[in-house]
Amino acid sequence: MSDLPNCPECNSEYSYEDGNLYICPECAHEWSKDATAESDEDTLVVKDANGNLLTDGDTVTVIKDLKVKGSSAVVKVGTKVKNIRLVEGDHDIDCRIDGIGPMKLKSQFVKKA
């Protein structure tokens, strides 16, 4: 029926157009027409412990000793992890650590190298 996008906040289908803005009558969220084109890219924003923006393929350094669940191994402070991949969820970094293997890390325990 309507080709207007759903609200990005509450996913309401009753959004309407007002000039250069879309408006949701249910939650009163307003967003620009340009923002809908950018949100279609589905970008993931992940920041390290210092607030630097991380991207796929970055190299990071571990800033805290991390115990490996189900093993007696420990990822030591200063361990460099190359070629990270960002994923959705609580553990938002997917990587492979030399000597340990594939792991998921939380971004709050790494800094960009």
Side-chain angles (χ1 to χ4, degrees):
M1 196 159 94
S2 175
D3 60 343
L4 295 175
N6 289 353
C7 175
E9 293 293 315
C10 69
N11 204 26
S12 171
E13 60 185 25
Y14 301 113
S15 61
Y16 62 92
E17 197 172 357
D18 185 23
N20 197 24
L21 294 175
Y22 292 122
I23 300 173
C24 175
E26 292 185 3
C27 69
H29 179 69
E30 297 179 356
W31 68 102
S32 69
K33 292 181 181 179
D34 298 334
T36 57
E38 293 170 7
S39 67
D40 291 342
E41 295 174 10
D42 194 27
T43 57
L44 181 63
V45 177
V46 178
K47 295 185 178 182
D48 69 357
N50 296 331
N52 298 321
L53 192 63
L54 297 174
T55 58
D56 286 341
D58 279 347
T59 299
V60 294
T61 305
V62 177
I63 62 170
K64 177 183 175 184
D65 282 346
L66 302 173
K67 295 179 182 177
V68 179
K69 191 173 183 178
S71 172
S72 62
V74 175
V75 179
K76 295 286 187 179
V77 172
T79 302
K80 284 200 174 194
V81 182
K82 299 177 184 176
N83 200 16
I84 64 170
R85 188 170 57 109
L86 303 178
V87 294
E88 292 283 333
D90 188 32
H91 291 73
D92 45 11
I93 297 175
D94 207 8
C95 62
R96 177 175 295 278
I97 299 176
D98 294 335
I100 295 176
M103 280 192 79
K104 291 191 175 221
L105 299 172
K106 290 186 176 183
S107 59
Q108 65 192 25
F109 298 124
V110 299
K111 67 177 181 179
K112 195 169 186 174

